[in-house]
Amino acid sequence: MNSAQSAQSAPRAPRAHHADVVVIGAGIAGLSTAHHLASAGVSVAVLEAAPYVGGRMVTDEVDGFRLDRGGRPLITSYPELLRTPGLEGAAVRMFGPGVLVHSDGRNYRTGAVGSARSALTVARALASAPRPPLGGAGGALDQARLSAALGRLAATPTDRLLARPERTAREALVARGLPARTVSGFVRPLLSALLCDPDLTTSSRCADLALRAFARGRLFVTAGGAATLPELLARTLPAGTVRTEVCVTDASINNVTTKEHGEIGCRSLVLATGARAAAELLPGLRVPGFHAVTVVHHTAPEPPLTDPMLLLDGDRGGPVAHTAVMSAVDPSRAPEGRVLISSTVLGTPPPAAELDRTVRAHLARLYGTPTDDWELLAVHHDPEAVPAMSPPHDLRRPVRLLSGLYVCGDHRDTNTVQGALFSGRRAAHAVLRDLGVRPAREQTPLSAVA
C-alpha cells in the first residue's frame, strides 16, 4: 500500500465551488505554490489525479519497510526548505559528513566540508599537509585542489556562479584544472547522486549550484521517507484544499472541468504537473529530455555498513551509482531489528531478469561482503524521473505565461527539490502580483534530528 494514500490530508470539498486559484498537480511544486498563496489569504484548490500527493516523491510500505521510489538525498543548505511554509514539523535524518567513495577495491571518506569557512580551512590544511591518497581521486595535491575548489564554490555568491560561461559540467571541471582522476573518482559520482547525470552532460551552472550546496551543507533524508515532505505540506494547508483522484478534462484561466467535481470556477490557473503532463494540458510547452532512475531495495541479515554514509561508486564498476544502508540513516524506514539497503541505478537498467543479480554482485564489491542471502524487497523504475539540464539551460524559465496562467515544477528551474520548491514560490508570487495581493513573509525551519 502507498503510504501517501493512508495519509491523505484533506477531506473533499463540496462539488460546486469557486477558488481564487486552481493548482493542477499536488507534487511539492504545486503544494509550495498553494502554501505561499494561502499564506497571503488567497483561496486555493489543488487537484491531483493520483490517489496520493507528492508526484515523484512517493514512499511505499512493504512488509513494514518504507521504500522511496526516488533515490536522491536532500541537502540542508537548500534555502527553499527554510522559506516554504508548512514544513515546521519535518524531522530530518543526517548522513555522516561527506561521502564514501569506492575506488580500487576500497572505500574512502571524502568531501566533508560543511560550510564556506570550514571548506577554506580544509583547503589550506590540505595544501600544506600531506594526506593518504583517495584512490581514483589522486594524492594529497589532488585532494587539496578538490577541497579548495569546493571551498571556493561554498564562498561564491550565486549571481557570480550564474555569470560564468556555460558549458557541460565535464568541460567546465576539466577547464578549471581538476585532474581527470578527481573528476571521475569523486565529482562525477557525487553529481550522479545529486543530479542523476553520470556522464556530466548537465549545464556547468547547475552543477556548480549543486556542488556549492553540497559544500555548504549536509546530505539528509526526511524521517519516514521522501513522501513525508509533500504529505506534511498537504496536511498543513486549509482543510479541503487538496483533492486527490481528480481527473481534469479541460482547463482555462477562469474554469476547470473535472470528471469528479464538475466545473470549478477560478481567477487563475497554475499547472504544477510534470513537464510532459503540463505540455499535454497546454500544447506548446517545452518538454525536456530526462534521466532515468531505478531504485532497488534489499534487506539483509546484518548491516553491511554501520555508519550512516552515502556510498558512491568511483570506478563505474557496475550498475549501481550510489547506495546506503537506509536503516542506519533513518531507523524508521525498517521494522525494528531489520536492515534496509537502498541502491540507485541510473540510465537504462539491465533487463529485469538480470537486474537483481547484477545489482547484488556490484553491491558485494561496494560493501565488501557477500550478498547471496539478501532479500529483494522492491524495484521501481522511472524513465522520466529527473528532467535533464543540458546547456544552455534557463535556470529561471518563465512561470508566468500570461496573466491568469502559470506553470511551475522542477522543469522550470533546477531538477532538484530546491528547484521545485523555488519554482512554486515564483509562480505564487507571480499570481499574487497579478491579483494585486502582497506576499506574506515566511521563514520555516526544519527541525534537525540526529
Side-chain angles (χ1 to χ4, degrees), residues 95-163:
F95 286 91
V99 292
L100 287 180
V101 178
H102 182 85
S103 182
D104 295 336
R106 297 175 58 192
N107 292 338
Y108 303 84
R109 186 191 292 260
T110 188
V113 178
S115 69
R117 176 171 296 187
S118 62
L120 294 173
T121 300
V122 169
R124 295 189 187 103
L126 285 172
S128 59
R131 294 186 63 178
L134 171 65
L141 180 58
D142 289 345
Q143 291 242 21
R145 287 173 174 167
L146 171 62
S147 293
L150 289 174
R152 286 192 295 271
L153 281 172
T156 302
T158 300
D159 56 352
R160 287 183 56 189
L161 288 183
L162 300 183

Side-chain angles (χ1 to χ4, degrees), residues 52 67 75 116 200 205 217 227 265 273 287 334 356 402 407 412 426:
Y52 49 82
L67 310 178
I75 307 178
L200 299 182
R205 294 172 180 171
T273 66
V287 178
D356 185 37
L402 51 90
V407 60
R412 311 302 292 185
R426 289 199 295 133

